[in-house]
Structure formats: C-alpha cells, structure tokens
Amino acid sequence: NLDEVVSRNKEIEIAKNWRQFAAEDKVEGGYLSKGATKYAFMSRIGSRMYAIFQCGVGSQVDEASNRADLIAELMLLVLGQYFADSFTTRAKTYGVQIPYIRWNSEGAFVGQATNCWPDEDSSLIFKSFLAEPLLDTSVLYTECKFSGSFTAGQSLDVVGAALDAFAHHTLVDTDGDMLLTDLQGVVGLDQSVVLFDPQAHSRTKDTGFWDQGPEGIGAWEKAHKCNKMCKQLKLKGKEVSWGPLCHGFTPPHE
C-alpha cells in the first residue's frame, strides 16, 4: 500500500566519502553512479546492501521536491512490477517464451533520516531517500539500456526484443493511458532481467516530472515497430486516439 506510512526506526549505514568520488564520476568509496537528476551510493541495513538514491544533480532541488520525486519513482517501480507480472501472464496465455523480467521493487522503500542534518560534509544530501536492494553488477551480469524516454527500442536479440514488446504491452494493458519508457536494467547469464529507474508517459501527465503526457506516448508510437514477439503476443492497437479529457458527464436517462 503506497499510501501507508510505516514508522519503523532502523539503523542505516551510508558510505561516508562517496561525494568526493562523485565529482569525478568514479565508482569507488561507495559511490555508484549519477544520472540526469539523481545520485546513487551504497548503504547497509544489517547485513543487506542497498543503493540509496537522492536528487540533486545539476538542478535546484529542495527537501520537498526530492521526497516527492522519490515517492513518484517508488510508485512507478511497484507499478512496473505489476506490468511485468501481467506481461508474463500474457506470454503464458499465448504460449510465448519470454525471459524472466522483474523490477527491483521488492524491499524498496522511501525513508527519512531522523538523526542527521544534511550538509556538505554529511553522507546524505537530504533527509529523504529512496533505498533499493543493491543489484549485482559483477561479470555475471551486464547493464543494458533498452530504450530512451522518447525513443522505442529496436533490438534484435531475444532480451531486447522482449523488452520492446514489454513496453508495447504496458500501453495496451492500460488501454492507452500509460507507457513505461527509458527501460534499463541488468541482464544475467540466463537472460533474466532486473529493471530499475523507471519513467513513464501518461494520458494525465502525472506520474512524475519526466512525464510528457500524450506527446511522449505519441513519439514512442511513431518510433515503435512491432517485432515478432509483439505479433506473437497479439499486441495490436499500437496507435491510440484520445478525445479531450472529460472532468464530468451527465449519465443517460434510464
């Protein structure tokens, strides 16, 4: 339940000197990566390792907007897992073999530090943070990007083709209301995929700051070319036409 607030005080250890390596984008000292808006760095709760995400790259962000953006990302992460499950169900229904796909949502949470005061010398930029289980990026796994925010994937390999079909599935599964984009993750030797850092475009343009609404969906529609897997999964109706949003209506008389 994403509307539920759980009060559960736990001690979290966060990499202390990650910021000095972030300046050079050097994966060392607990620093993991940075994207267009977020930093990622290592932490630990008990014996379990996590990646911590906070906003603040190349933009003016305050505590409130950082928290709002991270909650929006967590909501998409959980929603992405729903789509992964429904995609698996579709594949089973039509007897199509697909790679195992999941989102890094299990165990993820948005937390708030209660006994630190973020400043230039602290491990946290803000009190609020998004924590996700730390993914294995060793030689057994390959990090891959399958599509962009506005561009559809055109992959030829089995995993990439499945992710292109998965994106198409999200649009069909929501009857044209939402599309998951910018798909990226780690791929194992068994071709299993764990996705992270979700983005979306939606009809109502309210999934997060990245959401470009119907225009974003339209750009994907023009770029997408159905592959063999799309056709096997009966993913038709790529083009979606909408009328104006209706904020109220009068029901017909019985």
Side-chain angles (χ1 to χ4, degrees):
N1 186 346
L2 290 173
D3 294 325
E4 182 180 2
V5 177
V6 178
S7 178
R8 188 179 302 155
N9 292 324
K10 286 191 175 183
E11 186 175 277
I12 182 170
E13 298 176 275
I14 297 174
K16 186 175 182 180
N17 299 314
W18 68 269
R19 289 200 198 193
Q20 68 185 66
F21 299 103
E24 300 177 0
D25 199 22
K26 188 176 182 181
V27 183
E28 191 174 331
Y31 168 74
L32 295 173
S33 65
K34 65 179 177 181
T37 61
K38 297 191 304 296
Y39 288 105
F41 43 97
M42 293 175 65
S43 71
R44 181 171 60 195
I45 301 177
S47 60
R48 189 171 189 184
M49 300 300 295
Y50 285 84
I52 296 295
F53 299 92
Q54 291 196 305
C55 300
V57 178
S59 60
Q60 296 296 321
V61 182
D62 58 17
E63 174 65 41
S65 60
N66 169 68
R67 183 174 178 81
D69 291 344
L70 296 179
I71 289 175
E73 181 168 334
L74 177 61
M75 292 178 70
L76 264 189
L77 201 63
V78 174
L79 187 59
Q81 185 56 50
Y82 161 80
F83 288 126
D85 292 340
S86 64
F87 186 58
T88 298
T89 299
R90 175 182 286 271
K92 289 180 179 178
T93 299
Y94 291 108
V96 180
Q97 291 287 333
I98 62 170
Y100 175 67
I101 299 171
R102 74 173 178 88
W103 287 82
N104 194 28
S105 58
E106 186 174 354
F109 64 93
V110 170
Q112 182 168 307
T114 57
N115 62 346
C116 72
W117 295 264
D119 56 35
E120 293 183 357
D121 297 320
S122 69
S123 298
L124 292 176
I125 305 172
F126 302 105
K127 290 185 178 181
S128 296
F129 58 87
L130 171 61
E132 297 178 24
L134 186 64
L135 294 175
D136 189 345
T137 55
S138 67
V139 293
L140 299 178
Y141 292 84
T142 304
E143 188 169 334
C144 298
K145 189 173 179 67
F146 301 100
S147 63
S149 182
F150 299 98
T151 56
Q154 303 291 345
S155 301
L156 299 177
D157 62 280
V158 172
V159 175
L163 267 297
D164 295 344
F166 171 70
H168 191 169
H169 166 78
T170 65
L171 187 62
V172 172
D173 200 33
T174 61
D175 198 23
D177 281 346
M178 181 179 291
L179 170 74
L180 288 184
T181 62
D182 200 27
L183 299 178
Q184 55 191 306
V186 294
V187 182
L189 294 177
D190 61 353
Q191 297 189 324
S192 62
V193 185
V194 184
L195 298 170
F196 56 82
D197 196 17
Q199 291 189 16
H201 303 309
S202 66
R203 182 185 179 191
T204 50
K205 201 175 179 179
D206 60 359
T207 66
F209 68 85
W210 48 76
D211 194 331
Q212 297 302 305
E215 290 185 5
I217 294 176
W220 180 89
E221 289 177 328
K222 290 179 180 179
H224 177 70
K225 295 180 180 179
C226 283
N227 58 34
K228 180 180 179 180
M229 197 170 291
C230 290
K231 296 172 183 177
Q232 291 175 327
L233 294 170
K234 312 297 182 186
L235 290 167
K236 300 179 180 179
K238 175 175 68 72
E239 298 294 336
V240 177
S241 299
W242 293 302
L245 284 174
C246 185
H247 297 286
F249 69 97
T250 301
H253 295 291
E254 294 184 356

